Amino acid sequence: MTLDEMIKALAAYDGPQIKIMEVCGTHTSSIFKNGIRSLISPKIKLISGPGCPVCVTPSVYVDKLVRIAMQKGHCVLTFGDMMKVKGSQMSLTNAVGQGAHVKVLYSPLDAIKTAEEHPEIQYVFAAVGFETTTPIYGVLLDEIESRDIQNLKLLTSLKIMVPAISYVCENEDKIDAFLAPGHVSVIIGCDIYQDLAEKYKKPFVVAGFEGEHLLAAIYEIVMQMEQGRYEMKNMYKNAVSEKGNPAALSVIGKYFELKDDFWRGIGVIEQSGLRLKGQYQKYDAGSSFDEYQEQMPKGCRCSDVILGRITPPECPLFAKVCTPLDAVGPCMVSTEGVCGIWYKNRGRE
Amino acid sequence: MKIDLSHGSGGKQTGDLIHDIFIKNFDNKTLNQLEDSAVLSVSGRIAYTTDSFVVTPMFFRGGNIGKLAVCGTVNDLSMMGAKPRYLTCGFIIETGADLEQLDQIAHTMKEAATEAGADIVAGDTKVIEGDGNIYINTSGIGEILKEGVSIHNCHPGDVILLNGNLGEHHAAIMSGRMGIENTISSDCAPLNSLVADLIEHHIEVRCMRDVTRGGLATVLNELSESSDCRVDIRETSIPVSREVTGFCDILGLDPLYMANEGKMIAVVPKEQSKEALAVMRENKYGKNAEMIGTVAEGSGVCMTTKLHGSRIIDVMYGEGLPRIC
């Protein structure tokens, strides 16, 4: 089947509505960049799930980063994406405007160089991410240990994907199928989705990131749905193996252990987060939060959006008080978040 | 040798700095008079603009802050259909700045100004305490060669031309900051000759804009709003080098939102679009020029993707930071 034929078939689809959730920020971005929604039947709905680690990072975590960055002699190291995420009061970008010390890094290993150059400053790395980025924090910890670096710690908000997917399956019956995450699957492998597909009776298709890959994966899901099948299919075989990347999994296992964790917009999901193991707590900058009293702004319906219950314009705050420049809820925070995307396409979806 | 506060005192060291760096490099009759102001002759209507430059790192593959400071102002003048004539520059120099680097920056400024056919006729230097950074403001005067070039002037049916590959300056700067080894070079260049070529060939240019911060997406949205029209572009027509495409894929950047320093769009009547494209491609700064889209009735900017999907291109929100997910 050619790509054109596939696009024609997806455009002509007129069966029951199919809701497909993607849980990978890069998939969301690619769907948007390639105009995938405009190519397929309106009966195939693409829902952006909790696939952006920045978007699901709780505000109390951001608050703590801001507090640290404001402290004399301290500096927060972070990836660019975290700069814009609002805590209960402000984002790191706002905090910098008030004198906070924040440095944007592009690789966690740059933190070593920075810390060694300025031993007088206490650095705290904002370690946010899913399985994709966690192994790199493990490598960073290896370096901190071997070089005996005293002035670099991690404030962690690390999550794993599968419990969140299970949460969606158990609490939301309107999602028919999943585009399994691309990058995360490179680390954890695709076997795990076999179990999910059987348990929840939904198709799970692992897809690459090009527009053609996504269309092929969506086509596979539609075929499965039409034929009443629910299978795991790995369509990103050149990067995703059955068991994942053992070296990356091993470094995660060395430093981190599972814990219940809070997902902004969703709530606590059991055994969905990672924290530093006891013997490595000395590298932790205070990541254990006693309570996640997430004060979701009044009227914010991000959790309904993330779970695919409503579309962003159905939220009373959307495009009124909640915009990309002044995001209220997590889905508007990242330009790749679902509300951010709808905002850009308002009037067209 | 390093700059210290005595270089900004107004005394002997200040005089030496001015002579040994600025007069030596910029060297022209007007400046060499060392009067309180430059006295200039111009003919007809002028364009007049100013811009300030802060960039980290100050030296990058394809240029330095000095080249940016000259090209930025030269290009702003050129986009109004003006021929750049005179430039001024103000330096704010932090203590600890390296004199050799300052000399190199001034030398590059002279080279860029000479290429643009303009003289740097006045300047100022201030020294402040700091970490060796250098900040430059330039202003410029250009003589209008073609009246009526304006962002408010585009009409449905007009064709939009872009003079070459997107994202190279942005990628070069980020590579410098991140210590990434690659061959991506900033596109920083004076575009006055490209503009002069279009005017000499009697192309009825409606509007020109240099595509700098905020990228092509932002410029096209400004055009759409100012001319009250819709802009339709084709993804497959937008030139981006393979290396920049790969760089963007890794970092989650979009070339449409990346900064350039030697790129411009020209909006021209449809009947002249082929000739205008040919003229652009003849110029060394337009070899990769493409017709990227058209102006239509309506509003907003819409892109037909390579899979023939449609995507709304909005302005950039916040800073263009790489994604982690």
Side-chain angles (χ1 to χ4, degrees), chain B residues 11-31:
Chain B
K12 170 85 168 76
Q13 286 95 330
T14 307
D16 288 349
L17 181 72
I18 290 169
H19 274 97
D20 297 348
I21 303 279
F22 300 116
I23 302 290
K24 181 191 88 179
N25 282 297
F26 297 162
D27 185 38
N28 59 71
K29 270 187 205 160
T30 316
L31 182 71

Side-chain angles (χ1 to χ4, degrees), chain A residues 34 38 53 79 106 336 343, chain B residues 178 305 309-310 317 323-325:
Chain A
N34 287 290
S38 71
F79 289 130
Y106 302 97
E336 315 302 347
Y343 185 88
Chain B
M178 295 163 68
T305 70
S310 69
Y317 291 98
R323 288 181 300 114
I324 64 166
C325 50

Side-chain angles (χ1 to χ4, degrees), chain B residues 264-303:
Chain B
M264 61 176 283
I265 58 159
V267 182
V268 300
K270 188 180 176 196
E271 53 278 15
Q272 286 190 307
S273 58
K274 281 186 182 160
E275 189 192 351
L277 182 67
V279 169
M280 268 194 170
R281 285 181 174 171
E282 279 294 305
N283 187 288
K284 67 173 170 175
Y285 298 124
K287 278 184 191 145
N288 296 321
E290 291 286 348
M291 282 186 211
I292 59 163
T294 51
V295 177
E297 300 271 358
S299 63
V301 181
C302 188
M303 182 165 87

